[in-house]
Amino acid sequence: MITVSVTYPQRPGAHFDFDYYLRQHMPMVQQLLGHALKGVRVDRGLSGAEAGSTPGFVAQATLLCDSVQTFQQAFGPVAARIMGDVPNYTDIQPLFQYSEVALCDERQPGVSGWYANAQ
């Protein structure tokens, strides 16, 4: 499994319309990528390491796919449409990164296991 991270770096005066991004752009991305997309997560930057400080990124979307090739095959034909929508919600140039999923441990309530008693 791989992730495609799409990050939007923080910069003074930047515009980012989260309502549009969550209600219009991301559903469009999900629809256009179809079965190639195994999952999606959107994070909104709150602060840097020090509480209340400016976050390094306004937002980050993480797309989960089987492989880089699977993503590229799905994205290629619709890339212009997806990227053409960016000015509708931000003036920030997004940065992209492919990563291999090395560990994924999503803890669920009531699940037993090695971490059940962890604080």
Side-chain angles (χ1 to χ4, degrees):
M1 289 293 233
I2 62 106
T3 61
V4 180
S5 298
V6 185
T7 58
Y8 298 87
Q10 181 70 259
R11 65 174 173 73
H15 164 74
F16 197 96
D17 182 344
F18 268 99
D19 185 58
Y20 183 93
Y21 187 66
L22 294 173
R23 295 177 190 257
Q24 301 293 323
H25 184 75
M26 289 309 296
M28 178 188 68
V29 168
Q30 290 173 289
Q31 178 185 18
L32 292 175
L33 295 182
H35 295 295
L37 191 60
K38 302 301 180 191
V40 64
R41 173 178 160 164
V42 173
D43 298 325
R44 182 189 313 230
L46 296 178
S47 75
E50 185 178 321
S53 65
T54 302
F57 297 93
V58 175
Q60 175 174 311
T62 305
L63 311 175
L64 186 64
C65 299
D66 286 330
S67 68
V68 172
Q69 295 77 16
T70 300
F71 172 78
Q72 289 175 336
Q73 288 173 349
F75 184 71
V78 298
R81 187 163 170 201
I82 291 172
M83 296 308 294
D85 191 48
V86 172
N88 290 325
Y89 62 88
T90 191
D91 56 2
I92 300 169
Q93 180 67 38
L95 302 175
F96 293 82
Q97 177 174 307
Y98 296 115
S99 301
E100 178 183 14
V101 177
L103 174 67
C104 182
D105 180 14
E106 295 181 5
R107 299 177 186 194
Q108 302 296 321
V111 174
S112 62
W114 62 268
Y115 55 79
N117 295 321
Q119 296 293 323

